[in-house]
Amino acid sequence: MIIGSGLLARAFEPEFGRSRTICIYSAGVSNSACEDPGEFEREHQRLAEALQSTRDYEAFVYFGTCSVMDPEAVHTRYVQHKLRMEQYVSAHPRHLILRLPQVVGRTPNPHTLLNFLYARISRSEAFRVWRHARRNIIDVRDVAAVGAELIRHSDLRRATVNVANSRSYAVTEIVAALERAVGKSAVYEVVDRGSSYEIDITRARPFLERAGVLFDDGYLQRIVDEYYGKQ
């Protein structure tokens, strides 16, 4: 059972779309800059209904955010909201919370980091880059592959797992990868802001290996070329 219709829902659909015992909850606020209380309350109500109707399921999977570990983002309304939703989900007797970083895939959502950067670069529009900011990037297909392995591990319930890349990238690295994929130079100013934070993937690492996910030196460029190089 899939609740939601976005990038993650489509990735998990082939594996769990018709399941009557596993709920993949991927609906919710998709813009991390959102400050509208109404949007957050709508997700709360929908999530509460889903939790109530699936209490007998073998697993209830919810997607949190690794930004709860980001000192510059943890106090935003979006991240605080995600933490509250995790608390609600933790009441489900067989919940599994997967915290994700920046997920990349084919989506019209203009609020994702790579879609924002791609739009600016392709239109030669100026933007700012935070010198000290680093972002963790993962392909949605790898999230689905690793997530499926975690879900199948029936002993892994009432758990929160970080599913993320083993390394984070400077935003300037991400911009350079997009420049190569698009074939245009970006117009940007580097400002002395930003920070980085570590994401502990120890718990997910064995499942990364089972899913055949390898975060080698060419990982970032491969997924950028895949999703942005032929547009």
Side-chain angles (χ1 to χ4, degrees), residues 131-217:
R131 185 187 308 277
H132 308 292
R134 300 183 70 84
R135 294 294 180 262
N136 194 285
I137 306 294
I138 190 169
D139 191 329
V140 68
R141 296 170 299 187
D142 293 335
V143 172
V146 177
E149 293 291 339
L150 288 160
I151 293 165
R152 292 191 191 101
H153 193 72
S154 59
D155 291 339
L156 197 61
R157 298 293 183 263
R158 305 189 66 81
T160 300
V161 182
N162 299 325
V163 179
N165 196 322
S166 57
R167 63 165 292 191
S168 295
Y169 307 93
V171 176
T172 50
E173 288 183 84
I174 300 170
V175 170
L178 281 163
E179 287 178 316
R180 288 189 287 270
V182 175
K184 293 182 68 174
S185 295
V187 181
Y188 64 93
E189 173 190 4
V190 178
V191 296
D192 197 30
R193 294 186 61 184
S195 63
S196 62
Y197 58 97
E198 295 296 323
I199 301 175
D200 184 357
I201 63 167
T202 302
R203 201 166 191 179
R205 197 176 295 278
F207 299 93
L208 292 169
E209 295 172 358
R210 291 180 199 176
V213 176
L214 177 64
F215 298 119
D216 59 11
D217 290 342

Side-chain angles (χ1 to χ4, degrees), residues 1 21-25 47-62 85-97 157-159:
M1 175 183 182
T21 60
I22 294 172
C23 178
I24 308 292
Y25 188 94
L47 178 60
E49 293 171 3
L51 287 166
Q52 181 61 35
S53 65
T54 60
R55 288 195 65 79
D56 294 332
Y57 276 37
E58 293 177 10
F60 186 98
V61 183
Y62 180 78
M85 296 306 100
E86 286 188 7
Q87 290 175 351
Y88 290 125
V89 171
S90 66
H92 192 284
R94 288 166 295 280
H95 71 269
L96 176 59
I97 297 170
R157 298 293 183 263
R158 305 189 66 81

